[in-house]
Amino acid sequence: MSRSISDQPLGIYDDASEEAALPKIVELGIQMEQEGCRLLIVSCAADPGVRELRSRVSIPVIGAGSSAALVALSLGEPNINVEALYIAHGVMIGAGIVALVQAAILIFKRPKKSEREADDSKYTRTEGEARRSLGLGFVAYLIIALIIAIIGGLMTKMSLGMLIGFLFFAAFAAFVHEIIVGIAAMHSGWFPAFAVAFITLLFGMLIGFPPVALALLAGFSAATGPAFADMGYDLKTGYILRGNGEDPEFEKRGRKQQYMTGMIAFGVAVIVVALTYNSYFSQKLVPPIDTVYVSTIQAGTSGDVAMKLLLWAIPGAILQLIGGAKRQIGVMFATGLLIATPNACWAVLAGLLIRIVVLKVKGKEAETPMSILAAGFIAGDALYSFFNSIFKIRK
């Protein structure tokens, strides 16, 4: 038998019509099962209600869209699905572990006394003061991560033993995230915040923690990583503009002003998010990585996934070891594999090629004009993205 949902003669043609159709599809499917149907086929390319129906009825539910895609895939030329094989994720795990060791060596390695005294005379803060500041910052970051972990544990009704284990996991994840993202940003100009948060999610699922609690922790990590790296970029830019620390007192005052400006910007950002988040979510204006998080949670993990991660972690570790802490080759390679838009990769390669050619022809004097040009591109892209989002919200 064939049935259609009521009051939608035009069917499903946008997000609003799909949202309106979902409860009708589920209700109709349940009714048809009660009438004796032994199989349900949802005849719509978007497969609306298929997942919901499978959890509500005891008979098979087939989506026309996914079925057609599977047939096309079986008839087409074979290809390698990087995401399905967990290649990028495994490479990131291997590179991340090596990067963590490299970062620990940089942080905890104590230079000779003569080197420390020479460095202390060059900088506005001594090595000891820098270590204490980093330590206090990490403690604050850790406290927030533990609070989120406790909230996630209570929401998912974890046992006491699992909650304690999740707190240790959150503490370790916070440390790893801050170190890898921070070091990668300072040495290579790129912060793999989303990638490292994704690895946290995968590891947690392999251990067996509830997905909701892991999503909270991964969301916190993914949100704070770019902020942590951007603050470092801003301070480093100010340091260069102020003469690379030639006047220590001037450097301290400038740094303080930057810090106060950053705090004001944080307050403004909180207000803007509070006023606009509903509109953004209603337009589905979320980062593409969020869909990767969701699909990973829905797919679940297994021993097979763990083996794939372990296998691809080996080349990631080797790449990171060869490149060293300053180049971050392994982490950068894994991040590139996770980029879902090939055009972005071609754009980066084109930029590198132009840079190499210009430096060969013009020499070092071309550094400043190229930096200004790059800054203009970034500013233009940011302005376009901002106003494009605003226009979408108003529609």
Side-chain angles (χ1 to χ4, degrees):
M1 66 177 74
S2 177
R3 300 275 183 86
S4 299
I5 58 175
S6 60
D7 301 324
Q8 288 195 222
L10 299 179
I12 295 173
Y13 51 87
D14 59 11
D15 292 340
S17 59
E18 181 178 357
E19 186 176 352
L22 281 177
K24 301 176 186 178
I25 294 171
V26 174
E27 182 182 353
L28 183 59
I30 294 172
Q31 179 185 337
M32 293 178 73
E33 181 189 28
Q34 294 171 349
E35 293 175 358
C37 285
R38 300 174 64 182
L39 172 70
L40 293 174
I41 299 176
V42 178
S43 182
C44 181
D47 288 350
V50 170
R51 187 188 310 153
E52 292 82 359
L53 268 174
R54 286 171 178 167
S55 65
R56 298 290 300 276
V57 300
S58 59
I59 58 178
V61 180
I62 298 174
S66 55
S67 299
L70 287 171
V71 172
L73 183 63
S74 65
L75 297 175
E77 295 182 4
N79 53 43
I80 298 175
N81 189 331
V82 174
E83 287 190 12
L85 293 175
Y86 292 92
I87 295 175
H89 318 113
V91 172
M92 178 60 79
I93 289 173
I97 292 172
V98 174
L100 182 62
V101 175
Q102 291 170 336
I105 292 172
L106 285 173
I107 293 172
F108 298 113
K109 181 182 178 182
R110 298 191 65 83
K112 297 177 182 178
K113 185 177 180 181
S114 59
E115 293 176 349
R116 288 203 305 272
E117 291 174 351
D119 287 341
D120 288 346
S121 65
K122 287 192 303 182
Y123 301 127
T124 58
R125 293 283 184 250
T126 65
E127 181 186 334
E129 288 175 323
R131 288 179 186 274
R132 282 193 295 273
S133 297
L134 283 172
L136 290 172
F138 171 69
V139 169
Y141 185 78
L142 177 61
I143 290 172
I144 298 173
L146 291 177
I147 291 173
I148 291 175
I150 291 172
I151 294 173
L154 295 175
M155 286 177 60
T156 54
K157 298 179 181 179
M158 291 184 190
S159 64
L160 180 60
M162 179 175 281
L163 179 59
I164 293 172
F166 189 58
L167 289 175
F168 278 106
F169 177 76
F172 178 74
F175 175 73
V176 169
H177 193 89
E178 185 176 22
I179 293 300
I180 292 180
V181 172
I183 295 296
M186 290 302 97
H187 284 298
S188 62
W190 184 280
F191 47 87
F194 296 134
V196 178
F198 187 48
I199 302 308
T200 300
L201 179 65
L202 274 175
F203 260 122
M205 291 180 65
L206 286 169
I207 294 171
F209 294 124
V212 172
L214 286 170
L216 285 173
L217 184 60
F220 169 69
S221 299
T224 53
F228 177 70
D230 279 340
M231 191 67 181
Y233 290 156
D234 294 342
L235 291 171
K236 190 172 182 180
T237 301
Y239 177 78
I240 295 171
L241 290 173
R242 289 187 290 269
N244 295 297
E246 290 181 1
D247 185 341
E249 289 303 317
F250 179 54
E251 171 60 26
K252 288 179 183 178
R253 290 197 303 270
R255 197 182 300 160
K256 184 178 180 180
Q257 290 175 354
Q258 280 190 273
Y259 175 76
M260 293 173 62
T261 304
M263 293 300 99
I264 294 171
F266 176 74
V268 172
V270 170
I271 296 172
V272 171
V273 169
L275 293 174
T276 61
Y277 79 95
N278 273 327
S279 298
Y280 265 72
F281 289 163
S282 65
Q283 296 290 328
K284 296 186 177 181
L285 296 174
V286 295
I289 190 67
D290 290 346
T291 60
V292 178
Y293 290 158
V294 172
S295 61
T296 301
I297 291 173
Q298 291 172 345
T301 54
S302 62
D304 180 56
V305 172
M307 284 302 299
K308 290 175 181 176
L309 292 173
L310 179 61
L311 175 66
W312 291 108
I314 296 172
I318 294 172
L319 278 175
Q320 182 67 21
L321 193 62
I322 293 172
K326 289 190 175 182
R327 293 183 179 86
Q328 295 288 316
I329 292 177
V331 173
M332 295 300 101
F333 182 71
T335 304
L337 289 173
L338 282 167
I339 294 175
T341 309
N343 289 339
C345 302
W346 289 116
V348 171
L349 287 174
L352 289 172
L353 181 61
I354 292 171
R355 177 182 175 83
I356 292 170
V357 172
V358 172
L359 285 177
K360 284 286 186 183
V361 175
K362 296 288 186 178
K364 284 290 183 180
E365 64 183 30
E367 285 278 5
T368 300
M370 279 196 299
S371 297
I372 295 172
L373 178 64
F377 283 151
I378 294 171
D381 179 73
L383 288 171
Y384 170 79
S385 299
F386 174 76
F387 286 108
N388 187 46
S389 300
I390 293 297
F391 291 143
K392 284 184 177 179
I393 290 174
R394 293 184 62 182
K395 288 181 180 178

